[in-house]
Amino acid sequence: MKERSVDRATQEMLQRAKSERLETAWDRWELQQPQCGFGQLGLCCRICNMGPCRIDPFGRGPQRGVCGADADTFTARHLGRMIAAGTAAHSDHGRDVAHTLLMAAEGKGGYQIKDPQKLRRVAAEFGIGPDTQSDAEIAKSLAEKILAEFGQQEGELTFTHRAPKARQELWRKLGIMPRGIDREVVEMMHRTTMGVDTDYYNIILHGLRTALADGWGGSMISTELQDILFGTPTPLRARVNLGVLKKDEVNVVVHGHEPILSEMLVAASRDSELQQLARQKGAKGINLAGICCTANEILMRHGIPIAGNFLQQELALATGAVDAMIVDVQCIMPALSSLAQCFHTKLIATSPKAKFPNTEFIEFREERALEVAKEIIRRAIENFPNRDPRRVQIPNESMDLIAGFTSESVFRFLGGRYRATYRPLNDAIIDGRLRGAVGIVGCNNPNTPHDWGHIELTKELLKNDVLIVASGCSAIADAKGGFLRPEAAFEYAGPGLREICEAVGIPPVLHVGACVDNSRILITLAEIVSEGGLGEDFSKLPVAGSAPEWMSEKAVAIGFYFVASGALVHFNTPFPTLGSPRMHKLLTEDLEKIVGGKFLFEPDPRKAARAILAHLDRKRAELKLREPMYTPVYA
Ligand code: NFS
């Protein structure tokens, strides 16, 4: 099982799955081999009914579809639609949060405003004041203005004004400043339908704009409004991996993305009547744990343990110990419904947007949020007596972690206990104790050993004095690997980074939240630029991003908004664009001349680390910074 995952809990459960003939994503991945070569290269087009068409990659067969579209158009249109889908996912999440803020302002649904200071700060950016208004009044105006940005037809998304001036100017000059969130997604769908935009460069340019509407729009709206509603996270301790499931408690696993649901489940799981009901049913308590990004959300704000990342969703069920798994939207494998039926586990879907065949559905409505959450927890408790203890196998694997860093909190730490400033961070980069900073984010994918890409890349960068910020399933991988403990600085960090972690008592990998919270990385970069001494734009900074095990269209949108913001972004496997050499060159070379950022595709995390370090050094040299204080160490 070592070739499937580097995580011991996962290996143990895969062994169980094998002996009990429970099918997992890894098995299905193997059954799909060899995967369709046309699809991998992006040389298949299904956009209209004259097709499906394909282009022969060896130049012996057709080189154009029936309409005349060539490989450049095929690949660009497909990639453009991936960006649109990823942007739509993050942004629809943001829309739901904005709607919840509106409900909170109107006193419906039991939601409150937990961070009124942040409410006022963000409202001011939208021109809402004066401060004499009540929180509810301000929240109402803010929610309405933000909801309007989804359908805005002209103008600029407000949060884009957080980017450095030079960057905003560049976006305007290139015509890629996002106008309205929905508008950019719709326009991408329009441009890529049959017979509209066939110029691959023009399509990708709009791809950049669509992605910017995600990073500086939908995702940032999700993050900021969630902080306002549920509280801005501060560092806290928790535990991670399948070992957080408990033999003697009701295990409720929440999986998906939107904290509107999971926050209420946290409240419901603490309800004293329900606790008592659990005891009546023979359990010692109610144990709430999370999978994927909704897990990151409630981890960051409440210290709720994480059962696992994307590829562990089926394995959590395979423990036989989950009494209910509650899902909302995104990254939920359809396979869960049949797997749950092999155990007593109740799989409960909650979003009208995401129903699953043969699966119980309890509609979650913000108006009745707490009521619905309690009902869900009650179902889980009532299912506890159906658990067969002989079929329970929980791996004895879990790890300590610290999470809850934000652009507001973390660098305050680096600024010392009493003064909030990015100066010490900038100085550490300038004097070479830190070589740079890298965001490692994104998914798992059975096409690469589970967690291996995240962990190896992290290790290589840490020993070379690179500070890591992590989110999504990558942060969970690193947490399981032990990198989110302060002690990890002694075990893995180079001398410069170790010195900093030791002085402020932080781990060398900072967990900044769910995937929508990659927007926190954008905000942090903006703070670094405005602190001064490292150039006037993002593209000058010795920073990079990486998604070393990507699978989701959301990862593509994220990659594009970081590139559009001027960063080097590494992905392990290439986009389905290799069938067009011109597209590949645009993505990996030419984009840098246009927006200052570009993609790097490299499946080997150690080689990727070298390339990223070389990039950081190049940026340092361009800024005429000192050589890094400590010599590089390579594997
Ligand atoms: Ni991100 Fe979250 Fe994980 Fe990938 Fe899915 S959970 S939003 S897409 S798999 S990191």
Side-chain angles (χ1 to χ4, degrees), residues 365-379:
R365 292 226 194 140
E366 286 107 319
E367 300 89 315
R368 308 175 32 237
L370 190 57
E371 217 179 301
V372 180
K374 282 188 188 170
E375 176 57 26
I376 290 171
I377 300 281
R378 187 185 317 272
R379 300 269 182 112

Side-chain angles (χ1 to χ4, degrees), residues 90 256-257 292-293 310 330-331 441-444 471-474 515-516 551-552 554-555 558:
H90 288 141
H257 283 79
C292 283
C293 278
F310 175 70
Q330 302 174 21
C331 302
V441 308
C443 327
N444 301 133
S471 70
C473 291
S474 182
C515 280
V516 289
M551 66 87 200
S552 169
K554 292 180 282 177
I558 294 167

Side-chain angles (χ1 to χ4, degrees), residues 491-507:
E491 294 157 32
Y492 301 104
L497 175 59
R498 194 185 312 146
E499 200 180 295
I500 291 167
C501 292
E502 213 183 337
V504 277
I506 51 167

Side-chain angles (χ1 to χ4, degrees), residues 94-105:
R95 187 195 327 266
D96 281 352
V97 186
H99 180 242
T100 309
L101 180 65
L102 188 60
M103 308 218 31

Side-chain angles (χ1 to χ4, degrees), residues 219-227 301 516-517 519-520:
S219 280
M220 203 172 279
I221 288 171
S222 304
T223 298
E224 297 295 61
L225 299 193
Q226 285 169 184
D227 283 358
R301 297 193 180 89
V516 289
D517 293 327
S519 62
R520 297 194 199 277

